[in-house]
Structures are given as C-alpha cells and as structure tokens.
Amino acid sequence: MSAPVAIPAIETQNLRLRGPKLSDFDAICAYFADPRSAFNGGPLDAEGAWRMLTSAAGAWQLRGYGLWFVTPKDDDTFIGFAGIFHAFDWPEPELGYGISGAHERKGVAFEAVTAARQAAASHFGLTRLPSFIAPTNARSIALATRLGAIREDDITLRGDTARVYRHPEVAP
C-alpha cells in the first residue's frame, strides 16, 4: 500500500483551499441539496453527497491531484470547491469549481479559482486547463470569461452538451 498523497494547502487573501475532511459532510450535504448544484452533478441526497466527498478525497490518492475544498481563511467551514476534476470519462483534467449560493457575488469563486489554477500549474504542471460548462450556466460562463478563458468547441459529456472554455496558460 502506498503512502497517502499530501494535499497542498493554499491560502489567499481571504480563503483557504485544503483537502477534503470528514467534518465537511454536513456542509456538502447542504451544498448538494440546493437545486443550484445541478451544474455540479446535484441535487444529491446524503448518499450522493457522501459519494462526492469520498470521490473528492479518493481523486487525490488515485490521480495525485483533485479538488480543493474552499473555506474562509478564519473559519474551517466548507463553502465550495475549486481545482482539478478528472472523471474517468473526461477527455482531460478540467478546472472545476462550485461555491455555495450564500457566498456567490462576493468574489469568492474568482479568488478560489485563480488560486486553484495557479496551484494546478505550479504543483502539477497543468498549465492550460479547460472548464467544461453547461450552455445554460451563465454564472460559470461569466466567471470563466472574467478569468480570461476563451470558448473553444462544444463537446458531449455523459450525454449533455458542454462548452469548452480554455484558460490562459499559467506559468508553473
């Protein structure tokens, strides 16, 4: 059995991005109970939220990278996630993100995704990631555009159309 992967913690001006914890479960249940989670695979019941939590933790162990869980810098409460999502049927790793509704429109997503994008480059050499975004997800499209991502082709993921937004190259 190999040693567990050490998940690098990232601190920004207002946020901490860290690995998943068992204590995040209730907050993840709340995030995925919200209909707004539909663009991240929700809504999910507690069993589905548990699978998401264990999948996020397992990705780090199996791939060596994954999603960071976002918390306020002064509070360890899960408020969202940002980082590298690479499902078995994805064409490549993607820069994925989701922030709870209570923390939207406050710059949290921009700050978290900017930090995750830089960490993906500096820690894992992933310097030009895409985000796969549903055509109806206006908030995510606006964020990707604000981050400098450029729309490429549409692709099909699990039977649904996704727009590919390629983020600008980030120096490691």
Side-chain angles (χ1 to χ4, degrees):
M1 186 172 190
S2 60
V5 170
I7 301 170
I10 303 162
E11 288 200 3
T12 68
Q13 181 177 348
N14 302 300
L15 305 172
R16 179 174 293 112
L17 284 68
R18 56 152 174 84
K21 293 181 179 181
L22 186 58
S23 59
D24 296 324
F25 182 62
D26 288 341
I28 289 169
C29 283
Y31 175 87
F32 280 101
D34 188 329
R36 297 160 59 106
S37 70
F39 295 119
N40 297 117
L44 300 172
D45 60 11
E47 182 180 344
W50 176 256
R51 280 194 305 273
M52 186 282 175
L53 174 60
T54 58
S55 176
W60 284 99
Q61 302 310 310
L62 296 174
R63 296 237 189 236
Y65 53 76
L67 295 171
W68 283 276
F69 282 14
V70 179
T71 71
K73 198 170 191 176
D74 59 351
D75 177 355
D76 199 41
T77 303
F78 169 94
I79 60 170
F81 53 87
I84 310 159
F85 182 75
H86 193 174
F88 75 96
D89 54 346
W90 257 222
E92 61 184 307
E94 101 166 286
L95 183 60
Y97 42 86
I99 300 297
S100 69
H103 293 89
E104 284 187 351
R105 295 183 177 90
K106 297 179 181 178
V108 171
F110 184 85
E111 188 173 338
V113 176
T114 299
R117 184 171 67 181
Q118 181 58 55
S122 60
H123 290 283
F124 310 112
L126 299 170
T127 59
R128 200 158 187 274
L129 289 166
S131 289
F132 304 133
I133 305 173
T136 57
N137 190 345
R139 284 188 296 264
S140 188
I141 290 170
L143 177 59
T145 302
R146 184 173 170 216
L147 288 161
I150 304 295
R151 183 173 173 202
E152 294 180 346
D153 296 330
D154 288 355
I155 61 172
T156 302
L157 293 175
R158 299 182 183 167
D160 292 322
T161 298
R163 292 187 173 158
V164 178
Y165 281 82
R166 182 75 54 184
H167 291 268
E169 188 161 357
V170 177

